[in-house]
Amino acid sequence: TGFGTYPGRKRGAVHPQTVSFPCPACQRDVDLGERGLGSLFRNLTLERVVERYRQTINISAAIMCQFCKPPQLEATKGCTECKSSFCNECFKLYHPWGTQKAQHEPTPPTLTFRPKGLMCPEHKEEVTHYCKTCQRLVCQLCRVRRTHTSHKITPVLSAYQALREKLTKSLAYILSSQDTVQTQIAELEETVKHTEV
């Protein structure tokens, strides 16, 4: 072993590492090979179509403030908690300093407010999986990158249910042994009093 190695390949590795990615349509894992996402081709035509579509949306659909009296101003901020779009003045008016609403995080204005999921700090994408090896939430891009290649990764929901069951059992054990501990404490206090006398 060790002969025929080249830069980037581990010595003695019998099988090259492969990266799998869930198919967006059927959710089955697809083997992307040793290079992972780097081996896929970019669809430049589709990228241009998406970019043009985004530009036409930005031009044609100006979102108006939902709280202005006529004439309405164009919205500059949105609030996921309030599920509304605001101009600067109305945002300040409805989110005054020193109140709970002042804690609301402004977002870009929109007409459809989706609940904000947990976001990956590295890729700014919604987390969808849990890496059992690292014990952290990961997004689709994290899952495909080399750092989590050989790790045990499960969907967030199944990881949540497993951790919830584990915590429930631990809590039940603690609560069931609480009476025993209280009894032992009372006995020790009685022994201390008896010893003092």
Side-chain angles (χ1 to χ4, degrees):
T1 62
F3 294 106
T5 60
Y6 53 89
R9 183 159 183 167
K10 291 182 181 175
R11 209 170 253 254
V14 179
H15 303 290
Q17 281 189 333
T18 58
V19 176
S20 59
F21 185 76
C23 170
C26 67
Q27 295 300 317
R28 290 192 191 132
D29 282 345
V30 178
D31 182 24
L32 295 179
E34 203 173 332
R35 289 186 54 213
L37 285 178
S39 64
L40 297 177
F41 294 107
R42 288 176 60 189
N43 188 337
L44 297 175
T45 307
L46 183 59
E47 283 182 24
R48 285 188 203 113
V49 168
V50 168
E51 187 57 38
R52 271 194 228 126
Y53 175 74
R54 284 184 180 153
Q55 287 173 355
T56 57
I57 290 293
N58 290 340
I59 293 167
S60 65
I63 298 169
M64 304 310 279
C65 176
Q66 296 171 322
F67 294 93
C68 280
K69 303 247 189 279
Q72 287 181 311
L73 296 174
E74 189 174 333
T76 56
K77 295 177 183 173
C79 180
T80 313
E81 284 91 346
C82 297
K83 292 186 172 73
S84 301
S85 293
F86 300 88
C87 66
N88 281 334
E89 293 302 315
C90 289
F91 189 83
K92 290 176 191 172
L93 182 69
Y94 285 92
H95 296 83
W97 285 103
T99 65
Q100 188 68 30
K101 284 190 175 184
Q103 304 289 324
H104 293 182
E105 188 177 325
T107 60
T110 182
L111 296 173
T112 56
F113 288 95
R114 267 183 62 214
K116 189 176 175 184
L118 293 173
M119 303 301 270
C120 171
E122 189 177 341
H123 301 111
K124 307 295 181 224
E125 295 220 358
E126 195 168 346
V127 293
T128 54
H129 291 82
Y130 179 76
C131 178
K132 289 183 175 180
T133 311
C134 299
Q135 294 186 343
R136 62 175 280 219
L137 295 168
V138 293
C139 69
Q140 289 285 13
L141 288 172
C142 287
R143 182 178 178 203
V144 176
R145 298 287 156 91
R146 292 196 183 274
T147 52
H148 299 282
T149 307
S150 59
H151 295 182
K152 290 184 179 181
I153 294 177
T154 62
V156 170
L157 187 60
S158 61
Y160 163 75
Q161 289 169 341
L163 289 171
R164 184 176 178 194
E165 279 181 31
K166 187 177 178 182
L167 283 172
T168 304
K169 287 179 183 176
S170 298
L171 189 62
Y173 174 75
I174 289 169
L175 291 174
S176 68
S177 61
Q178 184 179 7
D179 291 336
T180 308
V181 171
Q182 291 294 338
T183 306
Q184 289 175 348
I185 289 172
E187 288 174 3
L188 288 171
E189 287 174 345
E190 193 64 37
T191 305
V192 167
K193 285 180 186 176
H194 181 69
T195 305
E196 287 175 350
V197 170

